[in-house]
Each structure stands twice: as structure tokens, then as C-alpha cells.
Amino acid sequence: MFASPALRQKLTVTVHFLIHESDPIRRKRLLMQVSAWTQRGSTLTVSDRPHQQLHVQAETLPAMASSLKWTDPLSVTFAACAYPWWEETVPVSLTLLSGETAAMHLPGTSAHVPVSVNAVNTSGGTISSLTLTCGETTLTLEGLAWANGEELLIGPDSLGLMTMTVGGRNAASCRTPQSSDWLLIPCGAPATISVSCERNVAVTVSAKGAWV
């Protein structure tokens, strides 16, 4: 299993920083901007983890003991719950056609990470079934009614839950009982990706290496 919230429910990171501004009014204004940014929730990048990011919400906001002490350090604590692990900022991706097989190699230390799929029906007709294999996991969809030019999207949403749509329609009911719960790929070792379909499709598979 990959590093999901079920295995690691929370990751906390405290960031220490300075505001190099001697003017008290401007310093307070900058601090308000920092506080507003931390409350919005976004992706956090830090200098000691280059090319990695963490999806966070602020737990504690930076507080200024005195606006006159402009050299005092500040800190803010972030919590990552939906994706409680550091991931690569840029995904590894590859595109395959029906019947093709390729290898994907992700950086990282996680046993597995979820895969995102963006597939387009390029056959000129309607497709009813598709099978994708990623590493040791396989997903077969049947009864799709996938029209020419429509996109089929598979992958985790913002809450870390698996979603499947074809032409904007929910396709979760098309998954066969024998299919894996997730399409997963290991980090730190090559894995085989393959596509099987009755007609022509273009499938782009992407995933981000994770560090746990």
C-alpha cells in the first residue's frame, strides 16, 4: 500500500523565517500577507528539500512579539493531512497507444504512489472496455460507452480519493470486481505500464515520486 492517510494521518512541518524590513508598519503589513497566505492552504516548498512539495494547511500562524524588533525570527507550523508526505514537484509521465508497453521509473522512498491517467479515444468509434496495468496493479473498465474524442480521467482527487470519469461522467461503476482498488506504481524501481483496448486510444500516465 502507498503512504495514504490511512497509514500516516498527519505530517507536521515548522518553518522558521525572517522579515528583513526595519520599518514597523511595513513589517506588520508583510506579516499580515504571510498570515493570509498560510491560511489559504497550498503547496509548501523549502530550500532543504529541492524539487519537492507538501500539500499543507497552517496550524499556527506567525506572531510578532514586537514590531520594533525587526531582527526577531518568526515561525509558522503547517500540517499535511490529505497527502501526508513530500512529493516531487514535477510528475514523471509517458504516453502509450493501445497495445503498447513501457517502463516508468519514479524517484522516492515510498513503496507505492497512485497513478493519474488521461486517455483519449482516437479510434473514430465508441469504446466499451479498457485495461490498464501499472506495476502489480490492474484496472479493467467495461461498459464505458466511450465516444470518439472523449477523455477518460483516472486518479486521486484533492482529498486523496480515487475518481474515474469518461466524458465528464462518473465511470466508477464500470470497474470490474477483479480490478485493483488503485493503480499504483513503486518508487525507486522501474515498473511496467501497459494498455489494452479494442480500439485506438492515446493514454498518458503520470505519477509523482514520494518521500516518506
Side-chain angles (χ1 to χ4, degrees), residues 128-162:
S128 61
S129 64
L130 172 73
T131 297
L132 301 170
T133 299
C134 297
E136 298 180 356
T137 60
T138 299
L139 174 65
T140 297
L141 301 175
E142 296 181 344
L144 283 172
W146 183 10
N148 180 58
E150 285 188 331
E151 283 187 326
L152 185 148
L153 304 176
I154 303 171
D157 62 12
S158 60
L159 298 176
L161 303 176
M162 172 67 83

Side-chain angles (χ1 to χ4, degrees), residues 67-140:
S67 60
L68 298 178
K69 297 181 180 179
W70 68 278
T71 58
D72 282 354
L74 301 167
S75 64
V76 57
T77 300
F78 296 96
C81 297
Y83 293 88
W85 59 83
W86 289 93
E87 67 177 11
E88 294 289 296
T89 54
V90 179
V92 176
S93 63
L94 54 86
T95 299
L96 300 89
L97 303 179
S98 181
E100 290 187 337
T101 298
M104 177 179 282
H105 194 157
L106 292 182
T109 57
S110 176
H112 297 90
V113 294
V115 171
S116 295
V117 176
N118 185 323
V120 179
N121 179 352
T122 60
S123 68
T126 300
I127 293 175
S128 61
S129 64
L130 172 73
T131 297
L132 301 170
T133 299
C134 297
E136 298 180 356
T137 60
T138 299
L139 174 65
T140 297

Side-chain angles (χ1 to χ4, degrees), residues 29-59:
R29 188 177 299 148
L30 289 169
L31 181 60
M32 291 175 63
Q33 293 176 358
V34 172
S35 297
W37 174 80
T38 59
Q39 292 179 77
R40 282 196 298 268
S42 186
T43 53
L44 175 68
T45 59
V46 292
S47 59
D48 62 343
R49 298 190 76 106
H51 312 300
Q52 296 179 29
Q53 64 184 13
L54 189 66
H55 298 273
V56 296
Q57 294 282 346
E59 274 201 330

